[in-house]
Amino acid sequence: MASKLVLNRLRSLSRVSELSDVRFDKLRDPISIFSTSQNHVTWRSYSEASQPTPINPPPPPPSPNTSTTTSSSLNEFELAKFSAIAETWWDAEGPFKPLHLMNPTRLAFIRSTLCRHFRKDPNCTRPFEGLKFVDVGCGGGILSEPLARMGATVTGVDAVDKNIKIARLHADLDPQTSSIEYRCTTAESLVEEQRQFDAVIALEVIEHVADPAGFCKSLSALTIPGGATVISTINRSMRAYATAIVAAEYLLHWLPKGTHQWSSFLTPEELVLILQRASISVQEMAGFVYNPLTGRWSLSDDISVNFIAFGTKSAKKDETLD
């Protein structure tokens, strides 16, 4: 199966310290990087994951909150594309229909991995009670809202002002989601404010940023020591080009033409390496597979197109990940 092949390749990754001189642009030729490795990292596929243990940990200490300015990994062209369709975020038959269809499956992975990591009971109604989450690139809030209903204290950030306005208006319709803190800002700005969260989530975002490596460093800085990071994106494979671009944008018209650029996709190996260098160790990965007969998405070990990764940050700030 696809994930087993990737697993073997990922096990050839070296320690972060041994790759400190590798520039991100060399990731486009990952074999030249992996061949120098002597040590190994491992992660489990979704089907290999154990069941979470229903135990609640003590809450994390509060984080400082100050403000300043910083640079960002924003891609202005990508911002303009999403600003043009911002009003359609909550139209289940509009341009964001694929995300609406995929959302239950994305949430299933998040609920499973984060309940296991934070030792929460996945069977309770609000398993994330007492935890602080940030939804980076939240768009209109289609992920932030269910996270809030599951008990998390949610901050949603997006660089498109129209997205934030839509998200606020929709969240105010439900008392369970009206407490979400929506802000038109960037992950880098939150880092400068010294904000930190138990879990940092960025779904379908990294393929739209100008600097993926810098973006992941910001996500890591926003994650508390011992916290979790969840990222989903699209694999840079020929199968992904055929399905996520040719079929989804030009044949089925699920997405506006030009939504994705194949060269901006990351392979699972590249994402693991970038996160590793940002002190995030990928623990679990799963693929999203679409069934055209049922119109539903499901979790799978097939990570050849859409995939999601769960990683953890070292419990010690000065610890180097293996």
Side-chain angles (χ1 to χ4, degrees), residues 184-204:
C184 182
T185 188
T186 64
E188 292 83 359
S189 293
L190 290 183
V191 172
E192 290 297 317
E193 295 175 20
Q194 300 184 43
R195 296 287 298 273
Q196 284 195 312
F197 303 85
D198 299 288
V200 176
I201 303 170
L203 304 190
E204 280 69 56

Side-chain angles (χ1 to χ4, degrees), residues 75-190:
N75 183 322
E76 296 297 334
F77 177 71
E78 295 290 333
L79 295 183
K81 286 195 302 186
F82 285 98
S83 178
I85 55 175
E87 290 82 0
T88 64
W89 267 106
W90 288 96
D91 180 0
E93 297 298 323
F96 296 107
K97 178 180 179 178
L99 292 184
H100 283 275
L101 293 175
M102 191 185 291
N103 217 32
T105 311
R106 302 193 304 179
L107 287 164
F109 180 87
I110 292 171
R111 187 181 187 118
S112 173
T113 54
L114 295 190
C115 281
R116 188 181 310 118
H117 178 68
F118 292 111
R119 302 175 71 115
K120 296 283 190 175
D121 183 359
N123 298 312
C124 71
T125 306
R126 295 169 63 85
F128 298 143
E129 198 83 56
L131 297 175
K132 295 190 302 180
F133 291 0
V134 62
D135 181 8
V136 179
C138 65
I142 64 174
L143 181 72
S144 296
E145 289 197 11
L147 291 176
R149 292 190 183 98
M150 284 190 275
T153 299
V154 179
T155 298
V157 300
D158 200 287
V160 177
D161 184 58
K162 287 183 179 179
N163 288 347
I164 293 299
K165 290 178 179 177
I166 294 294
R168 284 174 179 156
L169 286 172
H170 196 273
D172 286 342
L173 300 176
D174 185 347
Q176 292 190 78
T177 59
S178 59
S179 62
I180 298 174
E181 177 192 4
Y182 282 118
R183 293 182 55 188
C184 182
T185 188
T186 64
E188 292 83 359
S189 293
L190 290 183

